[in-house]
Amino acid sequence: MTRADNGEWKSTACILCTLNCGVKVQLSNNGTQIARIRGDEAHPASEGYLCNKASRLNYYQNRSDRLRSPMRRTPAGNYEAIDWETAIGEIAEKFTAVRDQHGADTIFYYGGGGQGNHLPGAYGRMTSAALGVKFRSNAIAQEKTGEFWVANRMFGGWPHGDFDNAQVVVFLGKNPWQSHGVHRARALVREIAKDPDRTLVVIDPKRTETADLADIHLQVKPGRDAWLLAGLIATLIQEDIVNHAWLDEHANGFKAVADVFAHTDIDDCATKCGIDAAVIGSTAHLIANADSVSMLEDLGVQMNRHSTLVSYLQRMVWVLAGHFGRPGTHATANGLTSFGAGYEVGVSPVAGARIVSGLVPCNVIPEEILTDHPNRYRAMIIESANPVHSLADSPKWREAMRALEVSVVLDVAMTETARQADYVLPTTSQYEKAEATFFNFEFPNNHFHLRAPLFPPAEGTLDEAEIHIRLVTAMGGWPDEVEANLRDALQSGGRKAFREAVFATLAADPALMNVAPGLLYRTLGDSLPDGMRNAAALWAICHQHATGSPHSVHAAGVEGEGMDLGDALFDALLASPSGMVTSVEGWDEVWKRVPGGRVDLEQREFLADATTLNDEEPEETSEAFPFLLAAGERRAFTANTIMRNPEWRRKDPHGALHINPEDAARLNLGEGSTARISSERGSLDVVVELTDRMYRGHVSLPNGLGLDYPDDDGTVIQNGAAPNELTSLHLRDEYVGTPWHKTVPVRIEAVD
Ligand SMILES: Nc1nc2c(c(=O)[nH]1)N[C@H]1C(S)=C(S)[C@@H](COP(=O)(O)OP(=O)(O)OC[C@H]3O[C@@H](n4cnc5c(=O)[nH]c(N)nc54)[C@H](O)[C@@H]3O)O[C@H]1N2
Ligand SMILES: Nc1nc2c(c(=O)[nH]1)N[C@H]1C(S)=C(S)[C@@H](COP(=O)(O)OP(=O)(O)OC[C@H]3O[C@@H](n4cnc5c(=O)[nH]c(N)nc54)[C@H](O)[C@@H]3O)O[C@H]1N2
Ligand code: SF4
Ligand SMILES: [Mo]
């Protein structure tokens, strides 16, 4: 593609959190810089909204740490630039050698996409499939697998709240003011706070910016949400304020649930969670009496003790009051990229850890490398992720990466993870290729946003699709005539002939399914508008969606019958630079996605856990480690590790440790002083910020900091502390292995 002119406004999206708000950008300096950014009013979900972070996107695109050549690690641990042909050849050879010698189960695939970089994920699967890789994971398996697993068992999918319309909105371990997670979060939170008929409930030990606006802030003791939720459920049962008529019609297993919570000691729950029994009681009544309730849980409970149990109890609180499948309540969405299916699919090869949604628990991965077990992972492909920094126990991760026989990282920068890999491959950025949203949970209207690139590829880089095609080709690839046939069909007979040829080809040789994205990229991709080749894989997804839900696609205004509908949807996406609504449904549709049309309340292992909660004496701290650290909190200027240049951050330059002033006084820590924070895994020196927002005994550090970045002279600067230098692999959920990052036991000392 050619560079855009100065002054022209182009549509794209912000890539700094899952929402991918629609933005309009104006380029400068001969189309090389993002000069101005504003919200895109035509975007169907963000409607012009932007938060404080989006205006800083040029720091992602224009950076001094951009990788411009494939790199190979030398025996001394340095990196040397090599050409693409050498890199692809050596990587293909070494990975096939590991497969041939030890089996494909010893090769691990990690990543594939994060808050952005979603379309390339479709191509990443090709190399894995060519090698026969079975085990994989990504960041979802350190936060949401427990929730998916529970939700899938209860609802046959992952219900999301209708926050725009709910009378009562509950945020559980979630701070949307900073982290969003719902569209137009700050505007929405303000709207609810202002509306006398609506109630905002925040459950968080910290008095967050969201809690400031809440009608009810339940300042739960860190790590004790299970007791609070059990107390709420017990109130609903013991005071018999559940919605019996709704439960009779829509749910199975109520009796088993009632039998357990009839015996729960609510006063004991109140003591353990630190919330008065009367407040637990009035909150339960609020939920029971409300016309509609929507609740959102996030990392405050998902990266915490009893997290999977909490995901179950959370749902029970609103489902017992019948807040599902109606406007203002919860529904499973029907998006183009359906998401959140929490099926359990076997166990991991060494630790025997439960695999949910196809993802090995992140905390287990280093344990399954650093062992002499014959089935240990020996090779790893890592793409668009920074696990050495983002997963628990960075020291162990570095050791694990170096213990592998071969590893490759695909990234735009020389990250903490890249610096442990044998090969590093430089990719185009998310503004140099076609890209798309992925996390679309909205209901009844669900949208999708396919974006065109803003810039041509940086010199020396390749799209992930191209890299995987080259790797797969080096491993054998596909017959030339298959590609030629498809290309001919498209050229001579258009899309109709093309799709018939695709189906005939895949029917004749189902193994080609493994490389289908690459085939589409090389054929259909060539026929797409400038820079949009990467969107080819989306064509198949459009057909899947149109075939599965033609009525929803028609209701979204896309016309066409049979197989024409998928192509019409694909073309409509290509012609909608600000995104479009891709499915519209009625609330009755929700029930068709619930197996048997009835919610399954009775989940035995969680009911067993709930039975013993009153007997449990939780003790998270010890004499050696008397504080609990929330290791990785979302703040105004954090964005995982997407932004590496510290200058992008306008506030909180040091990524300070937040601590309650009373705790600080006892430790002789003043504002701006330095503290040493130590866990069983390591120590970090951090700058202190006193704030009475913090619960006493609970301290917090931001996420995504402690990254190295070379300044203009090449001097490496580091900004803030990397929280996973302090976290451990074994502090994890008993069901799905998600980490307890929000309550890491630590010791804090003043440093002179
Ligand atoms: N600014 C910004 N936004 C982001 C991101 C980012 O890096 N920066 N990352 C994105 C990603 S990947 C994600 S997953 C989301 C996460 O979004 P959130 O889950 O909202 O983010 P956190 O700040 O990690 O945690 C939320 C809250 O949990 C609270 N908490 C801590 N301990 C407990 C506890 O024991 N109980 C309860 N109830 N609450 C507790 C914290 O005080 C905090 O306010 O944010 C997304 N949005
Ligand atoms: N202690 C602690 N740890 C945490 C958290 C916490 O709260 N506490 N939060 C966790 C959560 S919820 C999440 S989601 C994870 C996120 O952790 P990861 O999944 O590791 O993701 P990111 O930090 O977003 O890293 C994304 C990587 O993609 C690269 N990248 C950017 N654009 C492109 C591109 O176009 N192509 C390619 N190939 N690469 C690209 C970036 O340079 C970066 O290295 O962090 C987790 N880590
Ligand atoms: S909420 Fe903020 S960070 Fe998230 S996509 Fe929108 S503008 Fe970007
Ligand atoms: Mo996340």
Side-chain angles (χ1 to χ4, degrees):
M1 68 178 280
T2 47
R3 288 206 179 275
D5 290 336
N6 286 343
E8 190 186 337
W9 286 91
K10 298 189 129 203
S11 304
T12 182
C14 173
I15 56 157
L16 296 179
C17 84
T18 44
L19 294 181
N20 295 152
C21 294
V23 305
K24 290 271 192 192
V25 302
Q26 200 177 34
L27 306 184
S28 66
N29 288 47
N30 299 319
T32 60
Q33 305 280 324
I34 301 175
R36 293 170 69 195
I37 298 180
R38 59 176 168 82
D40 184 353
E41 266 132 42
H43 187 278
S46 61
E47 298 171 355
Y49 176 89
L50 285 185
C51 80
N52 62 303
K53 296 187 288 299
S55 67
R56 315 292 280 172
L57 281 169
N58 197 42
Y59 285 95
Y60 165 78
Q61 177 60 27
N62 284 294
R63 49 202 290 169
S64 60
D65 65 344
R66 189 70 191 273
L67 279 166
R68 290 174 194 281
S69 163
M71 305 293 258
R72 180 173 59 198
R73 193 179 168 100
T74 66
N78 301 320
Y79 286 85
E80 59 189 0
I82 54 173
D83 61 58
W84 275 103
E85 219 180 287
T86 309
I88 297 288
E90 289 187 11
I91 294 165
E93 191 190 311
K94 289 190 182 172
F95 275 84
T96 19
V98 170
R99 179 197 59 196
D100 294 345
Q101 214 181 333
H102 303 290
D105 289 0
T106 65
I107 305 176
F108 199 89
Y109 177 86
Y110 188 84
Q115 313 299 299
N117 211 41
H118 299 131
L119 269 185
Y123 302 94
R125 294 286 180 88
M126 273 192 296
T127 303
S128 292
L131 287 164
V133 170
K134 184 163 131 207
F135 296 109
R136 67 184 178 95
S137 198
N138 60 41
I140 304 263
Q142 49 92 63
E143 51 177 316
K144 302 264 173 306
T145 32
E147 184 182 24
F148 289 172
W149 188 50
V150 166
N152 196 54
R153 288 165 51 163
M154 293 176 78
F155 302 93
W158 189 45
H160 195 64
D162 179 11
F163 300 97
D164 284 328
N165 299 301
Q167 188 188 19
V168 174
V169 169
V170 186
F171 292 120
L172 172 66
K174 170 84 201 162
N175 180 16
W177 190 265
Q178 298 297 10
S179 69
H180 288 77
V182 286
H183 275 286
R184 305 168 48 253
R186 291 182 179 186
L188 176 80
V189 165
R190 275 205 208 99
E191 279 159 28
I192 303 170
K194 259 199 238 143
D195 190 333
D197 297 327
R198 302 180 76 187
T199 307
L200 179 64
V201 182
V202 169
I203 304 174
D204 196 315
K206 187 173 189 176
R207 203 186 75 243
T208 59
E209 299 83 351
T210 313
D212 281 339
L213 292 167
D215 299 286
I216 300 170
H217 177 203
L218 302 178
Q219 219 167 349
V220 64
K221 275 189 191 164
R224 304 285 180 87
D225 297 83
W227 287 271
L228 170 58
L229 296 167
L232 290 170
I233 298 167
T235 308
L236 292 169
I237 299 284
Q238 291 172 22
E239 299 194 15
D240 198 22
I241 49 173
V242 300
N243 190 337
H244 283 292
W246 190 92
L247 290 168
D248 286 347
E249 198 185 336
H250 293 296
N252 292 334
F254 173 68
K255 190 178 173 305
V257 174
D259 285 349
V260 168
F261 290 95
H263 302 289
T264 301
D265 178 346
I266 298 174
D267 287 327
D268 173 72
C269 290
T271 309
K272 286 176 181 159
C273 76
I275 307 284
D276 203 75
V279 176
I280 295 179
S282 60
T283 308
H285 278 270
L286 171 77
I287 289 167
N289 294 334
D291 294 337
S292 57
V293 174
S294 279
M295 195 151 164
L296 186 63
E297 65 166 79
D298 213 341
L299 303 185
V301 291
Q302 291 179 346
M303 289 186 169
N304 220 329
R305 289 145 206 270
H306 285 307
S307 61
T308 303
L309 170 64
V310 165
S311 292
Y312 172 70
L313 299 176
Q314 188 263 106
R315 281 163 178 75
M316 200 59 73
V317 169
W318 45 260
V319 89
L320 289 177
H323 297 301
F324 175 80
R326 291 182 289 110
T329 70
H330 307 79
T332 47
N334 185 13
L336 211 55
T337 41
S338 49
F339 177 77
Y343 295 106
E344 190 177 336
V345 285
V347 294
S348 69
V350 178
R354 176 180 281 114
I355 296 178
V356 173
S357 302
L359 306 173
V360 173
C362 295
N363 281 44
V364 164
I365 303 167
E367 292 177 355
E368 297 200 315
I369 298 171
L370 294 168
T371 162
D372 52 16
H373 194 288
N375 297 346
R376 67 182 179 272
Y377 308 131
R378 295 166 191 263
M380 218 163 156
I381 305 167
I382 300 174
E383 177 167 12
S384 194
N386 189 3
V388 167
H389 184 281
S390 62
L391 298 184
D393 203 337
S394 296
K396 260 282 182 302
W397 261 94
R398 288 189 285 267
E399 197 187 327
M401 289 277 303
R402 294 313 313 141
L404 294 168
E405 288 174 27
V406 59
S407 56
V408 58
V409 166
L410 281 69
D411 207 297
V412 294
M414 199 69 191
T415 64
E416 291 66 26
T417 305
R419 272 179 266 146
Q420 305 301 328
D422 296 318
Y423 295 90
V424 188
L425 300 178
T427 70
T428 48
S429 82
Q430 292 169 55
Y431 295 120
E432 296 167 354
K433 60 196 163 214
E435 243 289 73
T437 41
F438 182 72
F439 299 98
N440 304 316
F441 321 125
E442 281 66 35
F443 184 89
N445 293 3
N446 202 278
H447 73 282
F448 196 85
H449 187 192
L450 172 65
R451 288 115 61 179
L454 300 174
F455 306 101
E459 212 186 309
T461 66
L462 290 177
D463 283 355
E464 287 80 352
E466 188 63 41
I467 296 173
H468 288 292
I469 289 171
R470 291 187 189 189
L471 283 170
V472 167
T473 305
M475 295 173 195
W478 53 72
D480 288 342
E481 64 270 20
V482 169
E483 190 179 318
N485 285 345
L486 293 182
R487 201 189 301 275
D488 286 350
L490 184 63
Q491 268 159 13
S492 57
R495 288 277 188 76
K496 187 168 183 297
F498 178 69
R499 73 190 178 229
E500 278 161 11
V502 170
F503 292 127
T505 304
L506 295 179
D509 184 359
L512 286 171
M513 255 333 252
N514 287 339
V515 293
L519 275 170
L520 291 176
Y521 182 87
R522 281 283 162 87
T523 54
L524 178 67
D526 282 344
S527 74
L528 298 178
D530 195 21
M532 297 300 280
R533 182 180 283 146
N534 214 32
L538 193 59
W539 176 82
I541 295 171
C542 286
H543 276 291
Q544 240 169 23
H545 183 59
T547 309
S549 316
H551 51 287
S552 316
V553 179
H554 283 146
V558 183
E559 286 171 18
E561 295 308 318
M563 295 297 293
D564 287 339
L565 185 61
D567 274 288
L569 178 60
F570 181 62
D571 288 331
L573 283 167
L574 283 167
S576 306
S578 298
M580 63 176 271
V581 172
T582 52
S583 64
V584 173
E585 297 195 333
W587 281 87
D588 54 323
E589 296 287 329
V590 176
W591 289 104
K592 297 183 189 155
R593 288 194 280 275
V594 178
R598 295 178 75 84
V599 178
D600 197 355
L601 305 178
E602 185 179 351
Q603 304 293 334
R604 279 169 214 223
E605 57 273 71
F606 305 126
L607 288 175
D609 287 351
T611 309
T612 56
L613 274 175
N614 286 135
D615 302 326
E616 192 178 325
E617 290 305 329
E619 220 177 88
E620 300 86 357
T621 54
S622 61
E623 215 171 298
F625 300 112
F627 283 88
L628 292 175
L629 168 71
E633 164 182 275
R634 273 67 192 163
R635 294 190 187 162
F637 288 95
T638 66
N640 291 352
T641 68
I642 304 164
M643 295 290 220
R644 300 185 64 89
N645 183 344
E647 281 172 27
W648 94 277
R649 310 185 66 239
R650 274 204 173 123
K651 278 187 190 163
D652 188 23
H654 307 291
L657 178 80
H658 286 183
I659 184 169
N660 185 284
E662 289 179 31
D663 289 333
R666 272 193 293 125
L667 297 167
N668 280 324
L669 287 169
E671 181 76 9
S673 65
T674 301
R676 180 153 306 148
I677 179 161
S678 309
S679 71
E680 61 177 10
R681 282 304 288 147
S683 287
L684 289 172
D685 285 357
V686 292
V687 172
V688 170
E689 182 180 324
L690 275 47
T691 166
D692 64 4
R693 291 182 179 280
M694 288 311 292
Y695 199 96
R696 279 193 302 280
H698 199 208
V699 295
S700 86
L701 278 176
N703 71 308
L705 265 64
L707 307 174
D708 291 346
Y709 186 80
D711 70 7
D712 293 342
D713 312 325
T715 316
V716 172
I717 30 178
Q718 212 200 34
N719 173 240
N724 287 313
E725 299 294 332
L726 301 177
T727 55
S728 299
L729 298 177
H730 71 97
L731 296 178
R732 66 188 189 220
D733 182 70
E734 57 178 315
Y735 293 108
V736 297
T738 41
W740 296 348
H741 286 336
K742 299 300 177 193
T743 49
V744 179
V746 293
R747 176 173 67 244
I748 302 170
E749 296 144 301
V751 178
D752 317 314

